[in-house]
Amino acid sequence: MSFGESHGKCVGAVIDGCPAGLPITEEEIQRELDLRKPGTSLVTTMRMEGDRVEILSGVFEGFTTGAPICLMIRNADIDSSSYQNILNTPRPGHADYTAFKKYRGFSDYRGGGRFSGRITASYVMAGAVAKKLLRHVLNIEIIAYTLEIGGIRAGPFTLDEARAVRYSNEVRTPDIDSAELMKQKILEEKARGDSVGGIVECVALNVPVGVGEPVFSSLDSELSKALLSIPAVKGLEFGAGFEAARKKGSENNDQYVIEGVEVKTTTNYSGGILGGLSNGMPIQFRVAFKPAASIGKPQKTVNVVTMKESDIVVPGRHDPSVVPRAVPVVESVTALVLADLTIRGGLIPPVLEGNSPLRQTRS
Amino acid sequence: MSFGESHGKCVGAVIDGCPAGLPITEEEIQRELDLRKPGTSLVTTMRMEGDRVEILSGVFEGFTTGAPICLMIRNADIDSSSYQNILNTPRPGHADYTAFKKYRGFSDYRGGGRFSGRITASYVMAGAVAKKLLRHVLNIEIIAYTLEIGGIRAGPFTLDEARAVRYSNEVRTPDIDSAELMKQKILEEKARGDSVGGIVECVALNVPVGVGEPVFSSLDSELSKALLSIPAVKGLEFGAGFEAARKKGSENNDQYVIEGVEVKTTTNYSGGILGGLSNGMPIQFRVAFKPAASIGKPQKTVNVVTMKESDIVVPGRHDPSVVPRAVPVVESVTALVLADLTIRGGLIPPVLEGNSPLRQTRS
Amino acid sequence: MSFGESHGKCVGAVIDGCPAGLPITEEEIQRELDLRKPGTSLVTTMRMEGDRVEILSGVFEGFTTGAPICLMIRNADIDSSSYQNILNTPRPGHADYTAFKKYRGFSDYRGGGRFSGRITASYVMAGAVAKKLLRHVLNIEIIAYTLEIGGIRAGPFTLDEARAVRYSNEVRTPDIDSAELMKQKILEEKARGDSVGGIVECVALNVPVGVGEPVFSSLDSELSKALLSIPAVKGLEFGAGFEAARKKGSENNDQYVIEGVEVKTTTNYSGGILGGLSNGMPIQFRVAFKPAASIGKPQKTVNVVTMKESDIVVPGRHDPSVVPRAVPVVESVTALVLADLTIRGGLIPPVLEGNSPLRQTRS
Amino acid sequence: MSFGESHGKCVGAVIDGCPAGLPITEEEIQRELDLRKPGTSLVTTMRMEGDRVEILSGVFEGFTTGAPICLMIRNADIDSSSYQNILNTPRPGHADYTAFKKYRGFSDYRGGGRFSGRITASYVMAGAVAKKLLRHVLNIEIIAYTLEIGGIRAGPFTLDEARAVRYSNEVRTPDIDSAELMKQKILEEKARGDSVGGIVECVALNVPVGVGEPVFSSLDSELSKALLSIPAVKGLEFGAGFEAARKKGSENNDQYVIEGVEVKTTTNYSGGILGGLSNGMPIQFRVAFKPAASIGKPQKTVNVVTMKESDIVVPGRHDPSVVPRAVPVVESVTALVLADLTIRGGLIPPVLEGNSPLRQTRS
């Protein structure tokens, strides 16, 4: 579970149900967090956060203990003064209005509070543990990247290129040429006080067959639920996705073949999921992000106290596009879902043994 | 929760947490079920099911009691013989292979068993109660319709037309001209032993502001989870959806205005959801269905016992397109999510009072 | 989960999460249900129920499939006429008043409705599957018996005697001499239109070390929650229980010893539970049942409509003591909790393999 | 939910689902924590903890926001060195052995780790918020006190005396004379290196009728589950409890009467719970605590690595009786359960309005 607010004291996560015996360090988690960290390039927000993660519980002598793992980062660089004027005039495209109405004025409005993209730092912390677990036990690898930003789509690339290239550029795309175009597009719209949306694609490799619990905890159900919990996500498609809606069954059904000693399909229009269960092919899906709601241009709003229409210029520092920073968030959320379902499915035991240093010392 | 299998004894649902005091009859539930019923036209499967729902518990003297409501239909028209040959040769595009591997041969393979589209009858039963509840207490109306089938998209239409027209034609589309074209397309592919996919759009009206629980039970998260539990769904988008990924913030942010005494937005690119909470505008989303996996054409599969490649012609009777029958299923699932979240949000009380006949008699 | 009412159409249960591959038949479940069945002797209620259980889903060719298992018995012998007069005059000691107030008149009041002891039939159905699972996979055995009725306590007995003797007598006690005294006591109070309470003791053997999840799903927490869901239970103690409150640490701590290759304790004052986890010793606890609330004597009540005090003679047929019939209920509830926690703890896999006939046939 | 370990960095709690608009301060929570704090008298452990609670999230400008509330205390006074020798030789009566076996050596063994009584500090933190909520909205008052220690039972007292007197003495009993005897008993056993058990009684006043959800979340089920999550609890009884097992129905049924405009019962043998729902009378129950497992006397244990029997003298500083410090813990746990069930039952709204300073300022 997640806790914390954008401009509160901290953002944190508590992981319950993580198996005992997983080696994990603050450094490993920090590495993932740094990928999401703002202020690292021109194309993202200038907010400089220290974002040092602290493991508060559940890890002892370098291994998880089976107890709840509490992870936390303190919020350091906070300037809330500019948010005073959004108190009664909700920013278009943000949760200000809906939160104000739901909580009747009691929600923490500063920087979007509980609804801020900053909350996704808690997904990344927890996701770092989930990633390590999946890699450690099942050799599962999760690779997300920017497929499209501001209408510019990454050129053709292989998965190996995606793995190698995506974090080498500020927009986290697997194709260097497109990376440059995307960056130009972002800076261009930033200069106009505007923002752009985009699409993140994610692939999970080595997921065993049968992950997912029918009916309501199917793999795609749980992934959808988790991915739609990322702010700014407005769409999601698995495998052929919306394109499948325009295909015939004879075109869309993936045909089975034998590859070595394994059953594979010749195509992967299903995105690796059949009947809500993984089928042994790569899990593949795309997530649509809307353009960042915070823009420099004047917009129309309503003063919710006086109930008069009003103009607003949104304060604060913002990402012209959330897409690059969303890449590690999508990976994290995917890892959390896969960890949860592989544990439920008995594919990861409650205690990981092996030749751990701890075990050596202790016995 | 849902239980039952395609070719087992029954399909059923147990609803827990429904408020006491809701008037509901088997006839009302049956009416919704009939909209989903197969065998009603040329464009759907020929399986003739009686599908008479029975209320087994939780309703007394015509009103819900607050106790769990068990609803069930017995499976009548069952011919499982043709499924014998899929035992070891999974049908492409179905859950046969994933279920076989997950349950190592113990799952009920007949007609897809637990993974069959027939399971959605349980969503519709339960959804009928949820719809009634939402209408009764909050005047919420849910309208789904076929937006696209086999690449043919419904022409322009108003919501009033959608409400009036959709159930007047076999494909459940709001535009009569498109309906005819869609039907032709379906029959054409059916004749070729093939199938077509499509898109269902859904609109929910009169949803109060603030429905949804941040972060992990947001309105779009919960809708996504539930919608992806419908077999054959491969994509989902809210409001502008994937199109939003290509827009600028200044184009995509819905501007606030005053309409009468209410805050509205001039556009609804958000699909009525901001920060995971309803914003008072219509909830609007689209669901992509892949073409039905069961087709008459020969396909490639693998015998999972001998591990040899093999050809298969899929047995049984099937829908050339699941889309028309999916329309009431999408409505039902939407109703279930909205009922759950409005109850959690305190918008529906645990007991519905008012001048019920029951209360009159009793006092 | 459980559904149904005393005088409604049925009582049933849906089991979610049962591993695939467990052989189970209606006959096995029926056998357990028959132990709880009313009308089998003079010392219990005269209501004659057929109580034939039907497996509605989740079992295929004699094995569980991993899908939800719905079990149901139809209510046959129903005479609700005598309950008309309790509509507005709640019976002392029953849930009539609390249910009426909570549901404001909408609850099914006939025979206690949802609050009736008849609901425990659903525990026994589900418990039969849990018992089979525990026995099949972990060789866990659960033995409950009447320790005390109407102040008469069973004489000294061994666990072997308890296993052999308890179901040989109507009061389900491990000591034949006490059985006769208890029966006399029950009949004596029955003749006076009164009822008696008692204590059921339960022992679970072969529970592996470490069952239970700290902190909130500890073994004793979950057992307590489940046992207090049995109507008429007013107290519960593990091992030395309330007596432990009067002991010193040096008297109450169980000392560790080696027995063969296993760690055991010389005494079992902990009741086999330390820190909320099983410790390898027998799980042992006692459950206090109040005397049945339904008695023939006139009692004082209040008409909740007129708000005037009133006398009432409770209608219907009743157990002079619920204790004998509660014995299989306590066993069932214990089995459900142990099954749940051993599955969660990874001690029972999601699919049970082995040389099942099904597997033989299929491959 | 709770996190943290005895000798880890902290102990904390995250409260999810607390209504927005509740005024709460760190001081109020601290006050409750101080009641549980060790080192405050001769009769409890000498461990001196600062135990300053910090509200990390979910509270803004003095009011809850509806977001998760994270509360934490840092562990200050930690001396783990003495625990090295219990690594392989589990202390009798503690969770050392069961935790070691369950987590195969990975659990944090220092001071009992996750199984330490120190974890109950997280119950008290969270309980302080729940208490405030219940008092603020429903005027519910929860009063626990020591009924018995080391076989010495408090003399007769009224509830008013209990309210006034219990926190005036070190043993938290409502009767001053007994307090002195209990204290003598504790010190006497402490001097002998031994410990004593006892019984805590708890009363909750002004609980509305109908709190609790049948069947599995009944008021007594949920209370039992929560109370058995307190370390050292071995028994529990509601109202007449085990005594009820020896009574007749005619003696045990509470008779209804009219008191003013309300329905009451002349006695309260039910402990305020009928059919798992509150009946408007005081909720009343007793909790049995075993004597503290940590004693100064030598005990028998087993080295779990060498599998040889061994003697152990338990290291560390300990309570000769946990009972006095358990009093606020029992109150807290009761508050948490009542808060949860009153929220679920719609008796507490998701937003608390009223003339809050916040609302004044904002509008």
Side-chain angles (χ1 to χ4, degrees):
Chain A
M1 82 168 297
S2 151
F3 61 89
E5 291 90 15
S6 179
H7 288 217
K9 286 192 172 177
C10 69
V11 170
V14 184
I15 305 171
D16 201 8
C18 181
L22 179 72
I24 190 85
T25 64
E26 288 181 351
E27 287 63 40
E28 289 171 291
I29 301 171
Q30 190 62 49
R31 214 144 48 221
E32 294 287 328
L33 261 180
D34 287 347
L35 294 174
R36 185 208 156 274
K37 198 161 59 177
T40 52
S41 85
L42 288 176
V43 301
T44 61
T45 168
M46 293 308 291
R47 176 170 171 175
M48 303 298 291
E49 294 164 354
D51 277 12
R52 300 301 311 172
V53 73
E54 189 181 9
I55 300 177
L56 287 170
S57 67
V59 176
F60 176 54
E61 296 183 357
F63 292 84
T64 56
T65 62
I69 303 169
C70 184
L71 306 170
M72 188 177 77
I73 53 177
R74 292 268 174 185
N75 289 333
D77 172 26
I78 298 183
D79 174 12
S80 305
S81 57
S82 60
Y83 288 96
Q84 280 291 22
N85 68 329
I86 66 161
L87 181 55
N88 295 327
T89 52
R91 297 168 296 170
H94 277 284
D96 300 345
Y97 173 66
T98 51
F100 180 87
K101 290 286 278 187
K102 183 177 182 72
Y103 298 110
R104 300 184 197 167
F106 287 110
S107 56
D108 181 354
Y109 60 90
R110 300 165 304 163
R114 183 72 189 144
F115 298 87
S116 165
R118 179 149 178 78
I119 296 307
T120 61
S122 67
Y123 305 177
V124 176
M125 289 175 226
V129 179
K131 267 187 184 177
K132 180 76 186 286
L133 178 69
L134 293 168
R135 190 77 186 235
H136 190 78
V137 183
L138 295 169
N139 198 30
I140 289 175
E141 185 187 13
I142 299 168
I143 302 170
Y145 43 81
T146 298
L147 183 68
E148 192 177 314
I149 279 188
I152 297 162
R153 200 174 183 100
F157 56 89
T158 65
L159 193 59
D160 282 341
E161 287 167 350
R163 187 190 283 112
V165 172
R166 61 195 172 125
Y167 280 122
S168 73
N169 61 82
E170 291 164 299
V171 290
R172 276 86 188 259
T173 199
D175 157 36
I176 284 293
D177 298 340
S178 306
E180 194 51 36
L181 293 172
M182 289 176 182
K183 187 177 164 185
Q184 295 303 330
K185 178 69 179 171
I186 292 173
L187 293 176
E188 195 179 304
E189 295 302 338
K190 187 184 182 183
R192 288 185 191 139
D194 217 331
S195 65
V196 290
I199 297 172
V200 172
E201 189 166 55
C202 185
V203 179
L205 301 171
N206 302 326
V207 177
V209 183
V211 174
E213 298 299 320
V215 173
F216 295 114
S217 290
S218 69
L219 179 50
D220 36 2
S221 287
E222 293 290 352
L223 280 171
S224 299
K225 180 177 181 178
L227 291 162
L228 266 291
S229 296
I230 304 174
V233 171
K234 299 305 282 186
L236 177 64
E237 54 179 9
F238 293 88
F242 275 86
E243 209 39 58
R246 280 133 202 163
K247 291 166 74 184
K248 300 177 190 177
S250 59
E251 297 161 350
N252 192 62
N253 282 351
D254 300 308
Q255 307 292 304
Y256 289 108
V257 288
I258 305 275
E259 259 186 47
V261 296
E262 298 203 327
V263 175
K264 295 287 175 192
T265 58
T266 52
T267 50
N268 189 21
Y269 297 130
S270 75
I273 302 176
L274 280 176
L277 310 180
S278 58
N279 70 352
M281 297 295 291
I283 308 298
Q284 188 168 21
F285 55 86
R286 284 171 299 286
V287 188
F289 286 84
K290 69 174 185 182
S294 291
I295 56 174
K297 299 189 170 181
Q299 298 182 84
K300 289 192 187 310
T301 184
V302 160
N303 185 308
V304 289
V305 175
T306 63
M307 284 298 276
K308 290 201 188 319
E309 298 186 355
S310 157
D311 281 350
I312 188 172
V313 175
V314 175
R317 297 148 305 175
H318 313 285
D319 287 350
S321 176
V322 299
V323 176
R325 291 176 63 199
V327 167
V329 177
V330 167
E331 286 189 3
S332 297
V333 155
T334 304
L336 287 166
V337 170
L338 286 173
D340 189 41
L341 289 174
T342 48
I343 291 170
R344 276 183 67 179
L347 295 163
I348 295 183
V351 181
L352 313 177
E353 291 182 270
N355 287 327
S356 76
L358 179 72
R359 299 289 300 158
Q360 297 298 323
T361 313
R362 295 211 168 174
S363 32
Chain B
M1 80 170 295
S2 149
F3 61 88
E5 292 89 14
S6 179
H7 288 218
K9 286 193 175 178
C10 68
V11 170
V14 184
I15 305 170
D16 201 8
C18 181
L22 179 72
I24 190 85
T25 63
E26 289 182 349
E27 287 65 39
E28 289 171 291
I29 301 171
Q30 190 62 48
R31 212 143 50 219
E32 293 288 326
L33 261 180
D34 287 347
L35 293 175
R36 186 207 155 275
K37 197 161 59 177
T40 51
S41 84
L42 287 176
V43 300
T44 61
T45 169
M46 293 308 292
R47 175 169 172 176
M48 302 299 292
E49 294 163 352
D51 277 13
R52 300 301 311 173
V53 72
E54 188 180 9
I55 300 176
L56 287 170
S57 66
V59 175
F60 176 54
E61 295 184 358
F63 292 84
T64 57
T65 62
I69 303 169
C70 184
L71 306 171
M72 189 176 80
I73 52 176
R74 293 266 173 184
N75 288 333
D77 172 28
I78 297 182
D79 174 13
S80 304
S81 57
S82 59
Y83 288 95
Q84 280 291 23
N85 67 330
I86 67 160
L87 181 55
N88 296 328
T89 52
R91 297 167 296 170
H94 278 283
D96 300 346
Y97 174 67
T98 51
F100 180 86
K101 291 285 277 188
K102 184 178 183 72
Y103 298 110
R104 299 181 197 169
F106 287 111
S107 56
D108 180 354
Y109 60 89
R110 299 166 303 164
R114 183 70 188 144
F115 297 87
S116 165
R118 179 147 177 79
I119 296 307
T120 60
S122 67
Y123 305 177
V124 175
M125 287 175 229
V129 179
K131 268 188 184 178
K132 179 76 187 286
L133 178 69
L134 293 167
R135 191 76 187 235
H136 189 77
V137 182
L138 295 169
N139 198 30
I140 289 176
E141 185 187 14
I142 299 168
I143 302 171
Y145 43 82
T146 298
L147 184 67
E148 192 177 313
I149 278 188
I152 297 163
R153 201 175 183 98
F157 56 89
T158 65
L159 193 60
D160 282 341
E161 287 166 351
R163 186 190 284 113
V165 172
R166 62 194 172 125
Y167 281 123
S168 72
N169 60 82
E170 289 164 300
V171 290
R172 275 88 188 257
T173 200
D175 157 36
I176 285 293
D177 297 340
S178 306
E180 192 53 33
L181 294 171
M182 290 176 183
K183 188 177 164 185
Q184 296 303 330
K185 178 70 179 169
I186 293 173
L187 293 176
E188 194 180 305
E189 296 301 338
K190 186 184 182 183
R192 289 183 190 141
D194 218 330
S195 65
V196 291
I199 297 172
V200 172
E201 187 165 57
C202 184
V203 179
L205 301 172
N206 302 327
V207 177
V209 183
V211 175
E213 298 299 319
V215 174
F216 296 115
S217 290
S218 70
L219 179 50
D220 34 3
S221 287
E222 293 290 352
L223 280 171
S224 299
K225 179 176 182 180
L227 290 162
L228 267 291
S229 296
I230 305 174
V233 171
K234 298 305 282 186
L236 177 63
E237 55 180 9
F238 293 88
F242 275 85
E243 209 39 58
R246 281 131 202 165
K247 292 165 75 183
K248 300 177 190 177
S250 60
E251 296 162 350
N252 193 61
N253 283 351
D254 301 308
Q255 308 292 303
Y256 289 107
V257 288
I258 304 274
E259 260 185 47
V261 296
E262 299 203 325
V263 176
K264 296 287 174 190
T265 58
T266 53
T267 50
N268 189 21
Y269 297 130
S270 74
I273 303 177
L274 281 175
L277 310 180
S278 58
N279 71 352
M281 297 295 292
I283 308 299
Q284 186 167 22
F285 55 86
R286 282 171 299 286
V287 187
F289 287 84
K290 70 176 186 181
S294 292
I295 55 174
K297 298 188 170 182
Q299 297 182 88
K300 289 191 186 310
T301 185
V302 159
N303 184 307
V304 289
V305 175
T306 63
M307 283 300 276
K308 290 202 187 318
E309 298 185 356
S310 157
D311 281 350
I312 188 172
V313 174
V314 174
R317 298 149 303 175
H318 312 285
D319 286 350
S321 176
V322 299
V323 176
R325 291 177 63 199
V327 167
V329 177
V330 168
E331 286 189 4
S332 296
V333 155
T334 304
L336 287 165
V337 170
L338 287 172
D340 188 40
L341 289 174
T342 48
I343 291 170
R344 276 183 67 180
L347 295 164
I348 295 182
V351 181
L352 313 178
E353 291 183 88
N355 287 328
S356 74
L358 180 72
R359 300 290 298 158
Q360 297 300 324
T361 312
R362 294 208 169 176
S363 31
Chain C
M1 80 169 297
S2 149
F3 61 89
E5 290 89 15
S6 178
H7 288 218
K9 285 193 174 177
C10 67
V11 169
V14 184
I15 305 171
D16 201 8
C18 181
L22 179 72
I24 190 86
T25 64
E26 288 181 351
E27 286 64 39
E28 288 171 291
I29 301 171
Q30 190 63 48
R31 212 144 50 220
E32 293 287 328
L33 261 180
D34 287 348
L35 293 174
R36 185 206 154 276
K37 198 161 57 176
T40 52
S41 83
L42 287 176
V43 300
T44 62
T45 167
M46 293 309 290
R47 176 170 171 176
M48 302 300 291
E49 294 164 353
D51 276 12
R52 300 301 311 173
V53 71
E54 188 181 10
I55 300 177
L56 287 170
S57 67
V59 175
F60 176 54
E61 296 183 358
F63 292 84
T64 56
T65 63
I69 303 169
C70 184
L71 306 171
M72 189 175 79
I73 52 175
R74 293 269 173 182
N75 288 334
D77 172 27
I78 298 181
D79 173 13
S80 304
S81 56
S82 59
Y83 288 95
Q84 281 291 22
N85 67 329
I86 67 161
L87 181 55
N88 296 327
T89 51
R91 296 167 297 171
H94 278 283
D96 300 345
Y97 174 67
T98 52
F100 180 87
K101 290 286 279 187
K102 183 177 183 71
Y103 298 110
R104 298 182 199 168
F106 288 111
S107 56
D108 181 354
Y109 59 90
R110 299 166 303 164
R114 182 72 188 145
F115 298 87
S116 165
R118 178 145 178 81
I119 296 307
T120 61
S122 66
Y123 306 177
V124 176
M125 288 176 227
V129 179
K131 266 188 185 177
K132 180 78 186 284
L133 177 69
L134 293 167
R135 190 76 186 237
H136 189 77
V137 183
L138 296 169
N139 198 30
I140 289 175
E141 185 186 16
I142 300 168
I143 302 170
Y145 43 82
T146 298
L147 183 68
E148 192 178 314
I149 279 188
I152 297 162
R153 201 174 184 100
F157 56 89
T158 66
L159 193 59
D160 282 340
E161 287 167 350
R163 187 190 284 112
V165 172
R166 62 195 171 123
Y167 281 122
S168 73
N169 60 81
E170 289 163 300
V171 290
R172 275 90 188 255
T173 200
D175 158 36
I176 285 292
D177 297 340
S178 305
E180 193 52 35
L181 293 172
M182 290 176 183
K183 188 176 163 183
Q184 296 304 331
K185 178 69 180 170
I186 293 173
L187 293 177
E188 193 180 306
E189 294 303 336
K190 186 184 182 183
R192 288 184 192 139
D194 217 331
S195 64
V196 290
I199 298 173
V200 172
E201 188 165 56
C202 184
V203 179
L205 301 172
N206 302 326
V207 177
V209 183
V211 175
E213 299 299 320
V215 176
F216 296 115
S217 290
S218 69
L219 179 50
D220 36 2
S221 286
E222 293 290 352
L223 281 172
S224 299
K225 180 177 181 179
L227 290 162
L228 267 291
S229 296
I230 305 174
V233 171
K234 299 305 283 186
L236 177 64
E237 56 179 8
F238 293 88
F242 275 85
E243 209 40 57
R246 280 132 202 163
K247 291 165 75 183
K248 301 178 190 178
S250 60
E251 297 161 349
N252 192 62
N253 284 350
D254 301 306
Q255 308 292 303
Y256 290 108
V257 288
I258 305 274
E259 258 186 48
V261 296
E262 300 203 324
V263 176
K264 296 287 174 192
T265 57
T266 52
T267 49
N268 189 22
Y269 297 130
S270 74
I273 303 177
L274 281 176
L277 310 180
S278 57
N279 71 353
M281 297 296 291
I283 309 298
Q284 187 166 22
F285 55 86
R286 283 171 299 286
V287 188
F289 288 83
K290 70 176 185 181
S294 291
I295 54 175
K297 298 189 170 181
Q299 296 181 87
K300 287 191 189 309
T301 184
V302 160
N303 184 308
V304 289
V305 175
T306 62
M307 284 298 276
K308 290 203 187 318
E309 299 186 355
S310 158
D311 282 350
I312 187 172
V313 174
V314 175
R317 298 149 303 175
H318 313 284
D319 287 350
S321 176
V322 299
V323 176
R325 292 177 62 199
V327 166
V329 177
V330 167
E331 286 190 3
S332 297
V333 154
T334 304
L336 287 165
V337 169
L338 286 173
D340 189 40
L341 289 174
T342 49
I343 291 171
R344 278 183 66 179
L347 295 164
I348 294 183
V351 182
L352 313 177
E353 291 183 89
N355 287 327
S356 75
L358 179 72
R359 301 287 300 156
Q360 297 298 323
T361 313
R362 295 210 168 174
S363 29
Chain D
M1 80 170 297
S2 149
F3 61 88
E5 291 89 15
S6 178
H7 288 218
K9 286 192 173 178
C10 68
V11 170
V14 184
I15 306 171
D16 202 7
C18 181
L22 179 72
I24 190 87
T25 64
E26 288 181 350
E27 287 63 40
E28 288 171 291
I29 301 171
Q30 190 63 48
R31 212 143 49 219
E32 293 287 328
L33 262 180
D34 287 348
L35 293 175
R36 184 206 157 275
K37 198 162 58 178
T40 51
S41 83
L42 287 175
V43 299
T44 62
T45 167
M46 293 308 291
R47 176 170 171 175
M48 302 299 292
E49 295 164 351
D51 277 13
R52 301 299 312 172
V53 71
E54 189 181 8
I55 300 176
L56 287 170
S57 67
V59 175
F60 176 53
E61 296 184 358
F63 292 84
T64 57
T65 64
I69 303 168
C70 184
L71 306 171
M72 189 175 79
I73 54 177
R74 293 267 174 185
N75 289 333
D77 172 27
I78 299 182
D79 174 12
S80 304
S81 57
S82 60
Y83 288 96
Q84 280 291 23
N85 68 330
I86 66 161
L87 182 54
N88 296 327
T89 51
R91 297 167 295 171
H94 278 283
D96 300 346
Y97 173 67
T98 52
F100 180 86
K101 291 285 278 187
K102 182 178 184 72
Y103 298 110
R104 299 181 198 169
F106 287 111
S107 56
D108 181 353
Y109 60 89
R110 300 165 302 165
R114 183 71 188 144
F115 298 86
S116 165
R118 178 146 178 79
I119 296 307
T120 60
S122 67
Y123 306 176
V124 175
M125 287 175 229
V129 179
K131 267 188 185 178
K132 180 77 187 284
L133 178 69
L134 293 168
R135 191 77 187 236
H136 190 77
V137 182
L138 295 170
N139 198 31
I140 289 175
E141 186 186 15
I142 300 168
I143 302 169
Y145 43 81
T146 299
L147 183 67
E148 191 177 315
I149 279 187
I152 297 162
R153 200 173 184 101
F157 55 90
T158 66
L159 193 59
D160 283 340
E161 286 167 351
R163 186 191 285 112
V165 172
R166 61 197 172 123
Y167 280 122
S168 73
N169 61 82
E170 291 164 299
V171 291
R172 275 89 187 255
T173 200
D175 156 36
I176 284 293
D177 297 340
S178 306
E180 194 52 34
L181 293 172
M182 289 175 182
K183 188 177 164 184
Q184 296 303 332
K185 178 72 179 170
I186 292 172
L187 293 176
E188 193 180 306
E189 296 302 337
K190 187 184 182 183
R192 288 182 190 141
D194 217 329
S195 64
V196 290
I199 298 172
V200 172
E201 187 165 56
C202 185
V203 179
L205 301 172
N206 302 326
V207 177
V209 182
V211 174
E213 298 299 320
V215 174
F216 296 114
S217 290
S218 70
L219 179 49
D220 36 2
S221 286
E222 293 291 351
L223 280 171
S224 299
K225 179 177 182 179
L227 291 162
L228 267 292
S229 296
I230 305 173
V233 171
K234 298 305 282 185
L236 178 64
E237 55 179 8
F238 293 88
F242 275 85
E243 209 40 57
R246 281 133 201 161
K247 291 166 73 184
K248 301 178 191 177
S250 60
E251 296 162 350
N252 192 62
N253 283 350
D254 300 307
Q255 307 291 304
Y256 289 108
V257 288
I258 304 274
E259 258 185 49
V261 296
E262 300 202 325
V263 175
K264 296 286 174 192
T265 57
T266 51
T267 50
N268 189 21
Y269 298 130
S270 75
I273 303 177
L274 280 177
L277 309 179
S278 58
N279 71 352
M281 296 296 290
I283 308 298
Q284 187 167 21
F285 56 86
R286 283 170 299 285
V287 187
F289 287 84
K290 69 175 186 181
S294 293
I295 56 175
K297 300 189 169 180
Q299 298 181 86
K300 290 192 186 311
T301 184
V302 160
N303 184 308
V304 288
V305 175
T306 63
M307 284 297 276
K308 290 202 188 318
E309 297 185 357
S310 158
D311 281 351
I312 187 172
V313 174
V314 176
R317 299 149 302 175
H318 312 285
D319 286 350
S321 175
V322 299
V323 176
R325 292 177 64 199
V327 166
V329 177
V330 167
E331 286 189 4
S332 297
V333 155
T334 304
L336 287 165
V337 170
L338 286 173
D340 189 39
L341 290 175
T342 48
I343 291 170
R344 277 182 67 179
L347 294 164
I348 295 183
V351 182
L352 313 177
E353 291 184 88
N355 287 327
S356 75
L358 179 71
R359 300 287 302 157
Q360 297 300 323
T361 313
R362 296 210 166 174
S363 30

